[in-house]
Structure formats: structure tokens, C-alpha cells
Amino acid sequence: MRPKKPSLIGLVKTLPKNMFSGLVVSLIALPLGLGLAMASEAPPIAGVITAIVGGVIVSFLGGSFVTISGPGNGLVGVVLVAITTLGLTATYAAIICSGVLLIILGFLRMGKLADYFPSSAIQGMLAAIGLIILGKQFHIMLGNKITKNSGIDYLLEIPNTIISVFHFEDKGLIYAALAGVLSLGIMVFYSKIRNKYLQLIPAPMWIVLFSIGFSYYYELILKAPNPISLDYMIPAIPDIGTIITEVPAPDFKMIGTFSFWSSVIALTLIASIESLLSIKAVDKLDLEKRRSNVNKDIKALGLATVASGFLGGLNVVTVIARSSVNVNNGGSNRSSNFFHSLFLVVFILLFSTELTRIPLSALMAILVYTGYKLASPVIVRKIFTIGKEQLIIFFSTLLVTLKVGLISGISAGLIATFIIHVVVTKSFGLFVKNILKPNVLMYKEEDGSYFISVKHFCSFLNFNTLKTSLEAIPENNDVIIDFSLCGFVDHSSMENIDDYQELFHKKGGNIEVIGLDVLGAESKHPFALRRMLPVQKMMPDNKTKRQKNLGIISDKFELSYEYEKKYNNSFLEGFVYFQTKKIEYISNELKEKNSKYQSFDVVFSEGEFIAKEVVRTTMLYIKAPNEIPAFTLDKEGILERFYALAGYEDIDFERHEDFSNRFYLRGEDPDNIKRFFTDDLVRFFESNPYYHVESNKKGVLVYNKERVASIKEVKALIDFGVRLSSVINKS
Amino acid sequence: MNTTVFKTIGIGVTFSPNLEANINEAARLALFFGSKLILIHVGKSSEDKLTAFSSLLSSFKDQGLVFEVTFNSGDPVEVILSTTEQKKIDLLIIGALKKEKFLKYYVGSIARKITRKANCSILLLINPSKDRVCCNHIVVNGLKDPKTEETLATAFLVGNKLGASKITVVEEISDDEVSVKVDDDKSLRRSTIIKERLRVREEMRVKAILKTIPNKLTKDIKIKSQPIFGKRGYSIGHYAQVARADLLVMNAPRKMNFWDRLFPHDIEHILTELPTDVLIVQ
């Protein structure tokens, strides 16, 4: 298998698509950059500078493909502490030093650093950061600026702030609070509305557009000053000339102090962890399933951080939400990162004065939502289902981080995890004696598959050895991981292995884990045991009305009906629609007796973090009688014409003008598709209600709206499917 | 090439619960190899002891076992080593405990000291038993080392005598030999190619050695070659455990110093975690 050379032609071909996704990403990066910088008490423009510098440097030197770099939310807490203790100019110096440290980490190949932190501790740390952001910005969102000492104090003050909103006398404050609440509403409800025109602009940008529109409404139509209190507007943003001429000089005077270096280390630690976690998550989203060169990326991020520090920006990290938006909008290589910063430059050049029309409270609503997502109860519930002991780790990290600081917090998490492991196994020696041993044996068996045997124990302390072995296996191979010689496997390892299983599966390989049942039987291994049992319970009598009606339909149409959740849905693989989406499960399955077609509700998520949307849709799957070409058929609208400009081609038929005008058909093999679309099939589509139809060679996927269908709609869908299936079978 | 393998087999004996099992194993092996058995007892000689040993061996004596008991007082390690020299013992059998205490690791148990210092081949038995347990699968190292040829030959001889059905030659290839570190898809592809090349090279080398072994020794035994990328000494033990080998045959180590013991490598790994019976060929 010869690798595809990244040719210049290929790059130029993908440029329009990447420019488009860069534009969408810049729409979310602009408000986020301003907000994150302000939340860290740095000048708002610092966030945008970070994104611009990061985008330019990392797009040229980075080792990942579809990631977006910029100011990270994880760093808000650390930068905030640094600025309050060191002052702004010394913080720039600390940022530069942390950039240098990151470069060194990259050269030492420490890209694996994040593996040494137990996942529950990282979750706890991120949740604490989320609470710090939420706690502080919540008050500003509601027009009540206060100053407190620690993150916990801010959180405790939240009820008072809510009460005080109802007693505001100052109209300016009331308007500020209203703007905040409305913006929060936009953030929360945006993901619930599925409309492709609305979704084209990310929620944070809608907030910006509304705010600016509101301000102009007052200025131009009511001829009145903006009613929102001036204290709650974004402070003046310097124009591009001032930014270039008045670069703040970093102050290295404090370089000998302890507080300086503790800030540097905290910045480095959080920047690397956030970047590594994001890179890992984004790699999973990549359509081409490329493997990022983590160490190269860390070096690039470090260099970008140094540059950003000198230019008055913050730490450059890889950011998950923006990266996922990038993937969802067709970003396919690093050029989208470059375009994202290019568009940011354009925004600052053209609209820097307009940005001061955004109320601070509206901007902070975005951050409150971000903070909430980091510390959402869903995370706590997820950790609880893994095991109670994980909650101890989670909360000890969380509380120590809030009360003392990030470094103490993550250390507390490490210690708590280790103590719990010792208690669970009732053996201290198991870990101490074996920690340095090369406990992983990997060899290729005669049939070409790989066998990995793990001895002693496998936890966050030594997962790296297993990881190195797994990394060295091409992902299209079959792998067996044998834990039968292993006395203990922790939750972090199981979670990581699960990630690898997904990765191998996507690339055509397979990882099978054996030997864990032995552990379970000894009942020493609650982590492993609980990880292995999927939570799959549903009360038999707990059917909804819709489910009962579906049962009735199934009798009428002579279909079999299963309402249980199904997690293994390999038949949905290969559909373009699901390429950027993560399928969680399907349920309410109505199946034809010979499995010729089936309708089901599918739950999937799109995007990550604050850009994450969970969607439930009813779909129909028809099994193809023999191999058919892969294609996508859509209604042709304004968006599709726009996509055509960005390089997506529409296949038209000369003989069927009506069809060609109304439908947007694309696929990789136009000739074959044209042959497949016989006159009968074209006429069928022309004369029937519109459905989105897609083929993955093995089958056809049909759906209409991105929501759960009503009983009537399910009937129509099945009817459409039955008739479509007969037309396909004929042709 | 000698066909008797071991002319004289020695075993250190004390009156422990394992005595009967140890003596039985040693006697059985001596019969298999047609060699003389020497029981080395650290302590004063006495009639009682001699009759005790003789009675244990009586059933083997009927099958034609030649044996001798030596008595010497002093430091056990010294006594066993000097007797080995005197009596020209070329295989010393040591009954090992499967799990040794953590602290002893640094101090070195008697068995381990002997293993390090002895000039003859050594067989470490993890569970000696009174009755015969057959030896099916032998794992032998195929390191790139001058001693390997001799070790492989011994493994086949022993395999023949004990009736083994399968011998796996494990070539441990150090990760350092793979000059490419895996970072992304491209480096993974390169490292996979390099590994494949190393694998072929190692298999060729082992095949060349196997050709020097007489056909009559190899014809009844299934031979498998298994290259492993991993830490030397450690991965072969791990492999023997995974492959459920009955005997692991290894080269004797080069002389060791204090640091080797502190940072265990090669044979030391095996000594800390005996995966199965181990034969160290001198």
C-alpha cells in the first residue's frame, strides 16, 4: 500500500472547502477569544492575538491535521491566577517561558505526558476549571461585578446575585442582565434547533450579531444611546495599527521568584494536557483517520506560545470545540487553521470598533455555558456509573483545585487514585515492585495478527508501555490483548483501550480484550468489571405511547419490533452523513422479516464540547441486493449551490432537467451513479415526497427531518422505503 | 557434538519438605540423560542421612541409576560451587521457589548466588514433583550471541531425551534496533517495514544455526521461530509464560556486576520471575 503524497494539486483542490470551514471557525473563535481573554483578566484582544498567532504557526509547523489552535478554556483559571499574582507583563514572560518548556517537552517526546494522569482526575480538574469560569463570569453575566478571593467564594455568591437581579434599580444593569440571560438562552437552545441555515453561523456569533444589531437599532432607529450600562460593554479594542505598534513588553524581572515558576509550570501542564486531550479527541473525528504527530504538534504549539507571548497574546493550545466545528464544516487539512486566523485578522481590521458594541454580559454568557459544559452533571453521572471510587478521585481533585490550585489539585487526584488502587488490590507491593518492569509483551503471530500480553498490573502509572505497543501496530490489523497474567487493570486503561478499539475498528482492524473475566471472577477489579458491563436496562412495561403505537404498526406491516437500545450498529458505517458524527445507539427498530429494510431511531452526537449537539432521528435502512455506487441525494437549495462553489460537484442529468434542478446528487464515481439512476428511479424521486437518500454501496439510508418521526411519518417512511426498494431491485 | 549432554548431574539437598520431589526430579533426569547423579549435602556426614537419601533413591537404583552423596560443611554457596568443580558436574539442579521475597532480591538468595557464579549449566525447577510431569513445549532463546549455537543444540538434545513435541526459538529484537520512532502514520509505516526486515534477518540467522543441528534430533520435533520486539531477557520469560512452555532454555549470562543486579536485565529478569523451569546452558 503506497501512501498518498500530499501533492500541491491536492492542497489547492481542498483550499475552498478549508477556507469555508476556516470562516465558520473564525466566527466562533472571535467571541470565544474575546471572552476567554477577558475572563482571564487579560485585555480582550489578547485572545484574538493568541488565535491568530496560533493559527498561523501551527498550520505551518504542526503535526496534526484538522485541529484548530487558539486560547484554551482550561487555561483561564491559570492565567487568571498568574495575572493577579504576577501582573500582566510578568504573565507574558511566564507564557513565553511555558512556551519554551513545551518545545522542550516536544523534543523529549513527552507527548505521552497526558497518559500519566488518571482520567477521573483529569475530569475533576476540568470540572474545577469549569466551575472557576462559571463562578466568576456568572455574576458579570447578570450585571453584578464582584471581587472574591477564591473560586468557591464566587460559586457561593451565585444565589445572592440571582436575588439581587430582581432588585436592580439601574436600567443599564437590567439591560445588561437581560442581554446575558438571552445570550445564555441562545447558547443552550441553539443545539436543539436543527436548521441548516441557522446552524451555518455558530451560536456565539449569533450572540455577537444580535448584540451589534441591538446597538445599531438604538443608535440609528431610536436615536437613543445604548441602554446597557457602559461598564458592561467590551472595553475599547485597539485598531490594528495600535496592536502592532504597542506590543506590550514582557517583564522578566520576576524570573527568579517561586510564584513565577509555579505559574509557568501550571501553564505548561494545563496547556499540554488540554492540547493532548483535544488532539486525541479530534483525531477520532478526522474523516481520513490520520494519526497526528503529537510531539511535532506540541513543539509547534510551544513555538506559537512563545510568539504569542511576545505579541501580547496568551498560551496557544489545541481547542476541541473549535476543532470539531472545523471538521463538521469540511476542514480537511491544516490550511483551515490558517484561514481561521486570516479571517480573524480581517475581522479585526474591518470591525474592531463594532466589537465594542457587544455587551460584556452577553460575551460572558458564552463562557458561563462553556464552564457549565466542563462541569456538567452529566459528567458526574457518567463517572458514577463507572464506579463510586471514581467519584472520590473526581471530587478530591475538584475540591483541591478549587480551594488550593491546579497543580495541587491534579497531584491530589494522582494520590487519591493511587491510594484507591492500593486499597482495591490490597497490595502496595504489586505496584511498587513492578512499576518499572517492561510488563507488556507484544508479538506477531504466524497468522499475521498481533498478540499483546500484559503482566502484573495495568494502570495510569504504566499504561504508557501498553500504549507504545499499540501505537506500533498498523491499525488495520487484528490484535488480542490478554490480561490474564495481570492482577489489576484500572479504569483509565480500560477507557484508553476502548479508544484504541474504536480507532482500530474504524481503520479496518480489531482489538479483542481477553482475560478480564478471570479478574472479574476474583472480584478484585471493580473498574474493569464495571467497564465491561454496558448499562443496558429498561423496564419492560415502561413503554411510551409512541413505542406502543410502533408495536401496533409492526403487527400491521408484519415487521418485527425491538425497542431496546442497540450499541453495535456497524451497518451504518460508511455513510457520508455519519462520517463526522458519533453514533451512540439505535432503538425502536422495526425490521422486515428477511432484514431487507428496517426503520429505527438513531441517537448520535455531532461536534465536541460546547459545539456538541445530540440528535435523535428516525431513519430507514434498505439493504441493497448487490453492490450499488455510493451517492448522496439531497434537495437542491441555496446552501447546496454555495457548496458547489466550495468544490462539491453536483451530478446533473441532461435528460431529466426537473430532477437535476430540484435534486443535488453527488458521489465519487459519477459515471457509475449515472448508470445506476435509471429513468425509473429518477421518475420515482421526481414523483414522490422529498427524502434525503444516501448509499454506502451496501445499503441505502433514507430520512427526512433530523428529529424523531411521528407514527404517521414512520408509516410514510416505511411506505417510501418499500417502494424505493422495489425500484432498486428492478434496476 | 556430544550426545550424552550431561555426564554428571548435581543437586544440593537438605532435609526440607521438597526433598523427595527434588531428588525424584534429579534422578529422573539423570536416568533420561544416562548420567551420574551427585547429591551435595551441606553438613556433617552421618549414616542416618546417607540411608535416608539412599532409601529415597532405591526405586531409581533398580532402574540403573548411578549416584553418589557428598558431605561438606561450610557456607552453602561455597560448598556447592566447590563440589561442582571437584566432581566435574555439568548440570546443577536447583529447586526454586516460585515467588521469592522482595528484600531478597537485592541480597540474593543462595540459589541466585549459585546461578550467578556457577560455571556449569543450571536447571531451575519451579515445581519439582514426585511423579513425572511430561515436557511438551520448550522455548529457547535465539539471541545473536556466540553461545546461542550451543544452547540451541542443547535444547534439541534435551527435547529429544524428554520427548518434547515442540520447540520455539525466540529471537528477541531490541527496540533500539528499530531506528524509527512511531509518531504518525508515515513513521509507523517505516517502522513496520524495518521490523519486517529485522524479522526476516533474524529468522534467516536462526535457520542457519538450526541447519547445523543433526537431522535425527530435529525430525520429530515441531520447530517454530518467533521474533519478539521487546526488552531482552524479560520478553522471552513473558513469552514462555504466555505460550505455557514447560522448559525455557537460555544462554548463560556474561559476568555481572552490582549495577546489573540493581538494574536487572537479561537473565536477572528471569530469576526474579521464573516463568517455568529454566535451563541455563553454560
Side-chain angles (χ1 to χ4, degrees):
Chain A
M1 182 181 75
R2 290 285 303 164
K4 263 190 273 171
K5 281 263 162 65
S7 64
L8 196 66
I9 302 162
L11 183 72
V12 172
K13 249 187 170 172
T14 59
L15 275 188
K17 276 189 205 177
N18 284 301
M19 205 191 270
F20 172 70
S21 73
L23 173 69
V24 179
V25 173
S26 68
L27 296 182
I28 188 172
L30 181 71
L32 266 183
L34 296 172
L36 288 169
M38 294 200 68
S40 337
E41 295 197 348
I45 196 68
V48 183
I49 293 174
T50 315
I52 293 172
V53 174
V56 172
I57 294 184
V58 177
S59 62
F60 279 104
L61 301 174
S64 56
F65 300 94
V66 285
T67 57
I68 297 293
S69 43
N73 38 57
L75 282 157
V76 168
V78 200
V79 177
L80 186 65
V81 172
I83 290 179
T84 38
T85 52
L86 305 173
L88 189 59
T89 46
T91 302
Y92 286 133
I95 288 169
I96 293 166
C97 290
S98 83
V100 174
L101 278 188
L102 274 175
I103 297 175
I104 295 172
L105 280 182
F107 275 106
L108 293 177
R109 310 179 55 81
M110 286 300 279
K112 55 193 177 184
L113 192 75
D115 295 332
Y116 289 104
F117 296 101
S119 51
S120 298
I122 289 183
Q123 294 280 6
M125 185 194 75
L126 292 177
I129 291 170
L131 286 178
I132 292 172
I133 298 174
L134 183 132
K136 192 148 180 295
Q137 312 314 332
F138 191 86
H139 308 288
I140 302 176
M141 181 179 84
L142 292 181
N144 184 24
K145 265 187 198 162
I146 48 169
T147 319
K148 292 277 170 201
N149 287 326
S150 80
I152 291 180
D153 294 336
Y154 275 113
L155 286 174
L156 294 178
E157 203 57 34
I158 285 180
N160 286 340
T161 296
I162 294 176
I163 294 165
S164 69
V165 168
F166 295 101
H167 302 288
F168 276 155
E169 309 253 304
D170 185 346
K171 262 200 158 173
L173 291 183
I174 295 175
Y175 273 104
L178 268 179
V181 174
L182 282 177
S183 305
L184 189 64
I186 292 178
M187 289 304 291
V188 173
F189 292 109
Y190 175 79
S191 66
K192 307 271 188 288
I193 308 163
R194 299 290 291 182
N195 178 307
K196 55 185 169 182
Y197 299 102
L198 179 83
Q199 298 273 340
L200 203 59
I201 296 177
M205 202 59 193
W206 278 118
I207 294 174
V208 169
L209 290 180
F210 277 133
S211 312
I212 295 177
F214 177 79
S215 155
Y216 271 112
Y217 175 74
Y218 266 84
E219 191 183 312
L220 299 178
I221 296 171
L222 298 183
K223 308 274 184 214
N226 196 332
I228 298 170
S229 159
L230 260 184
D231 291 346
Y232 285 90
M233 298 303 284
I234 289 190
I237 288 179
D239 60 54
I240 197 90
T242 345
I243 296 172
I244 294 167
T245 48
E246 286 175 25
V247 170
D251 172 13
F252 284 96
K253 263 183 233 125
M254 292 177 82
I255 202 155
T257 60
F258 172 76
S259 59
F260 180 86
W261 283 105
S262 76
S263 281
V264 170
I265 289 172
L267 284 171
T268 314
L269 192 71
I270 305 301
S272 58
I273 290 180
E274 184 171 358
S275 301
L276 294 169
L277 291 178
S278 304
I279 294 169
K280 203 165 109 182
V282 177
D283 270 6
K284 276 200 232 166
L285 300 176
D286 184 8
L287 293 187
E288 294 171 43
K289 296 160 188 121
R290 288 161 289 191
R291 186 196 291 229
S292 292
N293 186 337
V294 177
N295 293 310
K296 198 174 165 195
D297 225 34
I298 291 282
K299 278 183 247 174
L301 289 169
L303 188 68
T305 302
V306 173
S308 161
F310 274 114
L311 294 173
L314 310 173
N315 270 69
V316 179
V317 296
T318 304
V319 280
I320 177 70
R322 276 157 272 175
S323 305
S324 74
V325 168
N326 180 32
V327 176
N328 290 343
N329 286 289
S332 62
N333 54 39
R334 284 197 290 273
S335 61
S336 60
N337 197 3
F338 179 77
F339 284 119
H340 127 264
S341 50
L342 203 67
F343 281 113
L344 284 177
V345 173
V346 172
F347 289 151
I348 295 300
L349 270 178
L350 300 181
F351 309 116
S352 70
T353 48
E354 309 300 319
L355 293 178
T356 54
R357 293 174 184 273
I358 307 168
L360 201 50
S361 51
L363 207 50
M364 289 313 158
I366 303 172
L367 286 188
V368 167
Y369 186 69
T370 310
Y372 169 76
K373 277 282 166 180
L374 278 171
S376 100
V378 180
I379 293 171
V380 181
R381 204 174 62 211
K382 199 185 119 210
I383 290 173
F384 182 75
T385 56
I386 294 161
K388 288 192 202 83
E389 66 292 320
Q390 300 300 319
L391 273 189
I392 302 176
I393 301 168
F394 177 82
F395 279 112
S396 49
T397 316
L398 182 99
L399 291 176
V400 177
T401 310
L402 280 182
K403 201 75 203 162
V404 191
L406 271 163
I407 296 181
S408 321
I410 192 87
S411 318
L414 281 172
I415 295 165
T417 313
F418 184 67
I419 291 173
I420 282 174
H421 288 181
V422 169
V423 170
V424 167
T425 54
K426 298 193 187 71
S427 164
F428 182 65
L430 175 69
F431 298 103
V432 176
K433 262 197 281 183
N434 300 318
I435 185 161
L436 290 176
K437 288 184 184 163
N439 63 332
V440 175
L441 171 78
M442 190 254 284
Y443 61 88
K444 199 174 177 181
E445 289 184 319
E446 278 157 340
D447 59 0
S449 62
Y450 287 83
F451 186 89
I452 296 179
S453 164
V454 188
K455 253 198 206 180
H456 308 306
F457 74 99
C458 182
S459 79
F460 69 98
L461 294 169
N462 65 358
F463 181 72
N464 186 42
T465 53
L466 177 56
K467 184 185 166 155
T468 317
S469 294
L470 282 170
E471 300 263 274
I473 303 174
E475 289 98 336
N476 49 8
N477 280 291
D478 288 338
V479 182
I480 294 170
I481 304 180
D482 180 8
F483 281 115
S484 54
L485 294 175
C486 205
F488 174 73
V489 186
D490 81 339
H491 155 60
S492 308
S493 311
M494 290 307 297
E495 197 172 286
N496 279 314
I497 291 171
D498 195 62
D499 286 346
Y500 277 103
Q501 278 178 318
E502 202 185 313
L503 180 74
F504 271 68
H505 188 70
K506 274 190 180 164
K507 291 208 189 177
N510 184 35
I511 297 184
E512 197 175 336
V513 178
I514 58 170
L516 274 175
D517 37 351
V518 187
L519 300 182
E522 287 171 8
S523 76
K524 278 192 222 156
H525 311 278
F527 308 94
L529 191 65
R530 277 171 221 186
R531 266 302 288 178
M532 296 306 289
L533 297 171
V535 194
Q536 210 171 354
K537 252 193 310 191
M538 208 170 177
M539 289 307 208
D541 293 316
N542 212 2
K543 285 190 199 166
T544 60
K545 196 177 167 198
R546 182 170 178 266
Q547 286 177 325
K548 280 178 194 150
N549 283 332
L550 283 174
I552 296 169
I553 293 188
S554 74
D555 292 340
K556 261 193 207 153
F557 281 76
E558 291 185 349
L559 305 166
S560 66
Y561 175 51
E562 285 173 68
Y563 60 86
E564 291 96 347
K565 292 177 186 173
K566 286 188 181 170
Y567 291 88
N568 183 15
N569 305 300
S570 45
F571 70 92
L572 289 177
E573 277 166 21
F575 284 110
V576 179
Y577 182 76
F578 284 116
Q579 266 184 352
T580 53
K581 302 172 174 74
K582 251 195 279 184
I583 301 171
E584 312 217 326
Y585 59 85
I586 65 168
S587 60
N588 293 325
E589 194 179 29
L590 287 167
K591 209 174 195 172
E592 202 260 349
K593 297 262 161 17
N594 300 323
S595 304
K596 264 196 208 141
Y597 59 88
Q598 67 215 74
S599 84
F600 49 86
D601 295 343
V602 56
V603 176
F604 59 87
S605 66
E606 191 177 17
E608 285 288 334
F609 193 45
I610 56 166
K612 182 169 176 170
E613 294 160 23
V614 177
V615 184
R616 298 163 163 273
T617 308
T618 306
M619 295 186 167
L620 179 84
Y621 175 80
I622 305 168
K623 212 157 128 189
N626 36 41
E627 195 176 298
I628 56 174
F631 65 87
T632 312
L633 184 71
D634 243 322
K635 207 189 328 194
E636 190 155 326
I638 302 167
L639 262 186
E640 282 68 31
R641 293 202 187 113
F642 180 72
Y643 282 144
L645 292 178
Y648 299 94
E649 273 166 48
D650 183 9
I651 303 169
D652 284 336
F653 294 85
E654 283 156 24
R655 280 187 298 155
H656 307 285
E657 209 179 318
D658 178 37
F659 176 81
S660 304
N661 283 342
R662 273 173 50 205
F663 287 92
Y664 173 64
L665 176 66
R666 65 193 161 101
E668 277 177 4
D669 190 356
D671 294 339
N672 228 340
I673 293 173
K674 278 192 177 173
R675 231 169 292 134
F676 177 72
F677 273 77
T678 54
D679 291 357
D680 278 350
L681 193 59
V682 170
R683 231 166 282 135
F684 176 82
F685 283 121
E686 276 178 347
S687 58
N688 273 296
Y690 158 77
Y691 281 98
H692 175 102
V693 181
E694 200 179 317
S695 140
N696 71 343
K697 290 186 181 164
K698 287 181 211 124
V700 178
L701 192 68
V702 183
Y703 64 90
N704 190 355
K705 299 182 174 95
E706 286 180 316
R707 60 167 173 77
V708 175
S710 69
I711 295 298
K712 206 177 134 195
E713 284 167 330
V714 172
K715 279 187 198 163
L717 183 66
I718 293 177
D719 177 58
F720 179 84
V722 173
R723 288 186 293 126
L724 175 62
S725 144
S726 69
V727 176
I728 292 177
N729 280 332
K730 249 195 280 172
S731 57
Chain B
M1 185 165 294
N2 56 349
T3 42
T4 48
V5 212
F6 305 114
K7 284 194 187 110
T8 324
I9 295 179
I11 181 166
V13 283
T14 47
F15 291 94
S16 69
N18 266 342
L19 176 68
E20 195 184 349
N22 279 340
I23 287 189
N24 280 9
E25 283 281 359
R28 227 167 10 234
L29 284 170
L31 278 177
F32 271 129
F33 296 133
S35 32
K36 185 181 171 189
L37 179 65
I38 295 180
L39 303 181
I40 309 164
H41 181 70
V42 183
K44 293 242 165 56
S45 117
S46 81
E47 273 309 308
D48 292 352
K49 286 179 186 171
L50 194 60
T51 40
F53 290 136
S54 303
S55 68
L56 281 174
L57 284 171
S58 56
S59 64
F60 294 97
K61 208 175 164 188
D62 302 338
Q63 292 171 49
L65 177 76
V66 186
F67 74 94
E68 188 186 330
V69 186
T70 67
F71 295 94
N72 269 314
S73 331
D75 175 50
V77 179
E78 292 289 314
V79 170
I80 291 177
L81 285 176
S82 63
T83 319
T84 312
E85 299 255 310
Q86 269 171 29
K87 300 280 175 190
K88 297 211 171 85
I89 289 172
D90 37 26
L91 176 67
L92 193 61
I93 295 174
I94 295 172
L97 296 169
K98 201 168 184 179
K99 275 233 165 92
E100 306 203 69
K101 283 274 176 301
F102 179 47
L103 259 178
K104 287 216 173 168
Y105 178 50
Y106 287 95
V107 184
S109 66
I110 293 175
R112 199 170 299 161
K113 272 189 188 163
I114 295 170
T115 314
R116 286 195 195 108
K117 290 183 181 168
N119 288 321
C120 62
S121 300
I122 284 173
L123 180 63
L124 294 155
L125 294 178
I126 50 167
N127 0 293
S129 84
K130 279 197 282 188
D131 308 308
R132 188 183 169 224
V133 182
C134 59
C135 171
N136 268 327
H137 183 191
I138 295 179
V139 171
V140 55
N141 73 11
L143 287 177
K144 199 178 176 183
D145 191 285
K147 286 176 183 164
T148 300
E149 214 165 310
E150 177 77 30
T151 310
L152 273 174
T154 315
F156 275 94
L157 270 172
V158 171
N160 260 295
K161 298 277 183 201
L162 299 183
S165 57
K166 183 179 172 189
I167 289 186
T168 308
V169 185
V170 172
E171 302 103 50
E172 288 172 289
I173 308 166
S174 164
D175 283 327
D176 303 334
E177 284 194 54
V178 187
S179 48
V180 179
K181 294 259 192 294
V182 178
D183 274 322
D184 48 15
D185 292 325
K186 214 165 128 197
S187 50
L188 173 65
R189 226 172 283 126
R190 260 161 60 209
S191 90
T192 316
I193 292 168
I194 293 177
K195 279 184 173 177
E196 202 52 51
R197 217 173 278 154
L198 286 171
R199 192 174 285 142
V200 172
R201 189 194 77 190
E202 291 295 298
E203 280 187 359
M204 297 289 279
R205 186 175 56 74
V206 168
K207 262 194 194 132
I209 300 178
L210 288 176
K211 271 193 190 137
T212 64
I213 293 167
N215 192 32
K216 64 169 184 176
L217 290 181
T218 53
K219 67 170 192 266
D220 294 331
I221 295 175
K222 208 177 128 201
I223 303 167
K224 189 185 157 191
S225 168
Q226 179 67 65
I228 292 177
F229 290 88
K231 196 151 177 142
R232 261 190 191 179
Y234 197 89
S235 24
I236 193 172
H238 197 156
Y239 178 80
Q241 208 172 346
V242 171
R244 294 174 205 286
D246 304 295
L247 180 65
L248 172 63
V249 185
M250 305 256 307
N251 292 353
R254 271 160 261 140
K255 282 286 163 262
M256 278 180 285
N257 58 28
F258 173 74
W259 290 108
D260 293 339
R261 252 167 265 164
L262 204 58
F263 299 104
H265 65 93
D266 281 41
I267 204 110
E268 290 291 298
H269 284 303
I270 306 282
L271 295 183
T272 41
E273 286 166 29
L274 276 180
T276 172
D277 294 345
V278 178
L279 174 64
I280 300 167
V281 180
Q282 193 70 41

